Amino acid sequence: MDTMPIPSGGATDAVRAAAAFEQRSWIPATQLAAELGVSRRTLARWLRDLALEFPPPKIVNHRLYFERNSIEAWKAATAIKTAGGR
């Protein structure tokens, strides 16, 4: 008979979940717009313009959240393109 492992639960799982969340921190659209110095409408335009390759958001309760690492990578790539690099 095959047995399935029983989830351990408890504090260790909570600690792992918190660590995973920290590694993939999410930033709300309003905060991102303020950091970038643009309006939320501009973020919406960037999302529609596929040529910009703006990172897609995660939608939770009709609110947009962007992964911090993806945004930082996009900013770096955009800076390189703007500077004329590849």
Side-chain angles (χ1 to χ4, degrees), residues 39-50 52 54:
S39 68
R40 291 217 33 219
R41 181 73 181 130
T42 297
L43 286 181
R45 288 182 184 121
W46 288 355
L47 285 169
R48 282 197 318 267
D49 187 348
L50 300 180
L52 291 177
F54 195 73

Side-chain angles (χ1 to χ4, degrees), residues 5-23:
I6 299 172
S8 64
T12 20
D13 286 344
V15 169
R16 281 189 210 128
F21 180 77
E22 286 300 317
Q23 289 175 347

Side-chain angles (χ1 to χ4, degrees), residues 9-74:
T12 20
D13 286 344
V15 169
R16 281 189 210 128
F21 180 77
E22 286 300 317
Q23 289 175 347
R24 286 190 84 171
S25 79
W26 295 89
I27 179 171
T30 52
Q31 184 179 343
L32 178 59
E35 283 183 19
L36 296 175
V38 299
S39 68
R40 291 217 33 219
R41 181 73 181 130
T42 297
L43 286 181
R45 288 182 184 121
W46 288 355
L47 285 169
R48 282 197 318 267
D49 187 348
L50 300 180
L52 291 177
E53 298 177 354
F54 195 73
K58 180 176 187 176
I59 302 171
V60 179
N61 290 332
H62 305 288
R63 294 183 180 158
L64 303 180
Y65 293 88
F66 294 86
E67 187 177 8
R68 171 62 73 189
N69 294 337
S70 297
I71 294 298
E72 294 304 322
W74 177 82

